[in-house]
Amino acid sequence: VYLHHMNKASWKSPSNIALIKYWGKQEVGTQLPANASISFTLSQCLTETSIEIAEGSGVEIWLDGNLERSFEPKIVQFRERIRGHFSFISEGKWIIHTKNSFPHSSGIASSASGMSALALCLCDIALAKGELDETSRIQKASELARLGSGSASRSVVGPLGVWGKHPEFEDSSDEYAIAFDNIHPNFEDYRDVILLVHQGQKSVSSTVGHSLINDHPFAKARFEMAQSNMSRMKEILTNGDLKSFVELVEQEALTLHALMLSSNPSFVLMKPGTLMIIEEIRAKRKKDGLNWCFTLDAGANVHFLYPASDEHLALGFVEKVLKQHCQDGAYICDQLGAGPLRQ
Ligand code: DP6
């Protein structure tokens, strides 16, 4: 029974939404960011993953109970990358069961929640085998998650995650994310309604996307801008200045898209619905003086962010105004979360 437990673990881990974006990797090293980033850890968009290391070799991934061969290359690559971290990584057959709380086709990236959940599972096994101490568990899990997918490093911690070395965030590192919780009450339980404008495959994978920044004419300016935006964001989160928050978050989202629009090849990832929602949020803000804003991932969906105290009003606005721009009227209500849970 003991042996059995040593080879099995299960975690539920959330997705996250970046406020200051990670877009671009360092040219030397594996999965190191070109600039620091900070994100809200979510609480409803989750991946639940279990792993069992069994007799044999290779990997087997079951999504919602169905064998998913298309996930294998990514997991095999991940396993290869983290080989040196624990003695047992290359041994046995990985049997992974995974399920998302959000529809797989929703266009919500499951890599952050999925890779962080898997990394946490592996760290539990390492704990049981005496290859890891509880004191370094979170840091190690974040480091492994990063090697699976950069943004996944931030899902291991909450309510906010900071990944990437930055002089104003003590103990920050390019190797793993750290929690940021020095936030003003204005940001407590902050809401994120994810408006599903376009459900389906993204037209640019993040791996391709990140590589486009390497020869981008604006790259250097962008990385400097991100570092200074991190300083501004720290100040805003601490002093609760919602007006500046709105401005900075939208600037970051649109800068991310501006970089893709001006890449070679270039990508237009917004859809007409994305722009409609952006305009509606801005018009409403102007008219009613609300501190509501949006942010975007590398895709068409819009994250509608607002303070918890506006919940009633904002949800009415989603139903009446924003929902019609979503595919099949679909959206997901989420909010700031504390991080992953052992199952
Ligand atoms: C636009 O973490 O998905 O969401 O490291 O190649 O797996 P890889 O990329 P990924 O990139 C996410 C980019 C982003 C911004 C962000 O989350 O910071």
Side-chain angles (χ1 to χ4, degrees), residues 18 21-23 25 31 149-151 154 206-207 210 256 297-298:
K21 309 289 181 180
Y22 148 57
W23 198 243
K25 304 182 192 197
Q31 293 276 95
S149 178
S151 57
R154 299 183 310 238
S206 52
T207 310
H210 285 286
L256 172 70
D297 257 341

Side-chain angles (χ1 to χ4, degrees), residues 43 60 108 243 312 322:
S43 63
E60 208 173 76
I108 296 183
K243 288 238 168 330
H312 186 70
L322 302 182

Side-chain angles (χ1 to χ4, degrees), residues 36-304:
S37 57
I38 184 166
S39 54
F40 277 157
T41 304
L42 298 178
S43 63
Q44 300 305 314
C45 290
L46 300 154
T47 299
E48 186 175 346
T49 295
S50 68
I51 183 172
E52 181 177 356
I53 303 179
E55 294 271 306
S57 63
V59 301
E60 208 173 76
I61 302 130
W62 299 80
L63 175 67
D64 297 323
N66 301 310
L67 190 61
E68 191 59 74
R69 293 265 172 224
S70 67
F71 285 6
E72 282 174 24
K74 182 133 190 152
I75 301 298
V76 168
Q77 182 198 40
F78 171 63
R79 192 171 176 178
E80 194 53 42
R81 266 190 199 164
I82 64 165
R83 197 154 53 141
H85 290 257
F86 301 124
S87 70
F88 59 88
I89 296 294
S90 357
E91 292 161 12
K93 174 179 181 176
W94 283 11
I95 303 172
I96 296 170
H97 284 266
T98 189
K99 57 176 189 251
N100 299 319
S101 66
F102 45 88
H104 182 59
S105 64
S106 63
I108 296 183
S110 56
S111 65
S113 49
M115 283 300 178
S116 55
L118 180 56
L120 285 155
C121 288
L122 293 169
C123 286
D124 270 7
I125 294 172
L127 271 183
K129 290 183 188 287
E131 292 193 30
L132 184 67
D133 283 332
E134 178 55 36
T135 48
S136 45
R137 186 180 60 82
I138 300 281
Q139 182 172 310
K140 190 59 159 185
S142 177
E143 184 184 357
L144 296 187
R146 177 201 108 228
L147 290 164
S149 178
S151 57
S153 65
R154 299 183 310 238
S155 276
V156 174
V157 292
L160 281 92
V162 170
W163 172 43
K165 183 102 203 97
H166 191 285
E168 282 165 48
F169 290 85
E170 210 185 316
D171 300 327
S172 59
S173 167
D174 287 345
E175 310 272 335
Y176 49 84
I178 54 168
F180 183 76
D181 53 14
N182 183 18
I183 55 169
H184 188 275
N186 282 353
F187 293 103
E188 255 163 49
D189 299 325
Y190 219 75
R191 300 295 200 254
D192 176 10
V193 173
I194 308 163
L195 301 151
L196 304 176
V197 173
H198 181 72
Q199 308 183 36
Q201 277 305 99
K202 289 196 282 189
S203 57
V204 58
S205 76
S206 52
T207 310
V208 171
H210 285 286
S211 72
L212 292 171
I213 197 85
N214 295 341
D215 315 306
H216 199 293
F218 305 157
K220 188 166 173 282
R222 164 57 195 160
F223 301 147
E224 286 167 9
M225 173 193 191
Q227 290 299 87
S228 85
N229 282 351
M230 283 294 287
S231 307
R232 284 182 63 200
M233 186 53 85
K234 183 184 175 188
E235 207 180 302
I236 289 167
L237 291 169
T238 313
N239 66 22
D241 179 357
L242 291 175
K243 288 238 168 330
S244 303
F245 178 78
V246 160
E247 224 171 80
L248 185 54
V249 166
E250 292 192 356
Q251 185 198 31
E252 273 290 317
L254 295 176
T255 298
L256 172 70
H257 280 251
L259 288 167
M260 284 182 279
L261 288 166
S262 52
S263 295
N264 184 16
S266 85
F267 292 92
V268 183
L269 299 180
M270 293 189 203
K271 298 281 180 202
T274 314
L275 281 172
M276 295 300 290
I277 290 170
I278 289 175
E279 292 197 342
E280 295 287 9
I281 292 173
R282 288 189 156 182
K284 178 77 175 168
R285 181 165 74 225
K286 200 162 171 201
K287 186 168 146 280
D288 295 344
L290 296 156
N291 292 309
W292 295 357
C293 68
F294 64 85
T295 188
L296 307 164
D297 257 341
N301 295 336
V302 182
H303 290 249
F304 171 37

